[in-house]
Amino acid sequence: GDAELLDWLWHDRPAKVFVADPNAEEERRHSSAVFEELLGKHEDCHEALFGLGRLALLQQRCDDALRLLEEAVAIVGAEA
């Protein structure tokens, strides 16, 4: 399910995939698709917004990254 996808993206896959692997762009596209799918099912999924923000930052899309990360923080703050 969705929780298993998040666990795999954050914990089970080596972090180097995003930085040093020659297939990094493919991994980023896959991760982005997973996060978008999660948001399609759960629009308040702060983990997916955080993931998309992290990907945007890795792609040096700073304005997008900031917006996505701020949305994630707002959701977490509303849940607290």
Side-chain angles (χ1 to χ4, degrees):
D2 295 341
E4 290 82 17
L5 283 174
L6 284 171
D7 281 343
W8 179 77
L9 284 169
W10 294 126
H11 304 291
D12 297 335
R13 186 172 51 170
K16 70 178 180 90
V17 168
F18 284 111
V19 180
D21 192 296
N23 299 315
E25 191 56 38
E26 182 179 332
E27 288 294 323
R28 288 181 184 130
R29 280 193 300 273
H30 172 74
S31 296
S32 181
V34 170
F35 293 137
E36 292 288 351
E37 181 181 343
L38 286 169
L39 284 174
K41 295 178 184 176
H42 314 282
E43 64 184 31
D44 61 345
C45 181
H46 65 274
E47 294 98 338
L49 288 166
F50 176 80
L52 288 172
R54 181 176 178 214
L55 290 172
L57 193 58
L58 287 170
Q59 295 169 331
Q60 298 179 345
R61 296 178 12 244
C62 297
D63 290 340
D64 291 335
L66 181 60
R67 179 184 52 78
L68 290 160
L69 294 171
E70 286 177 339
E71 286 181 43
V73 169
I75 290 170
V76 170
E79 292 175 355

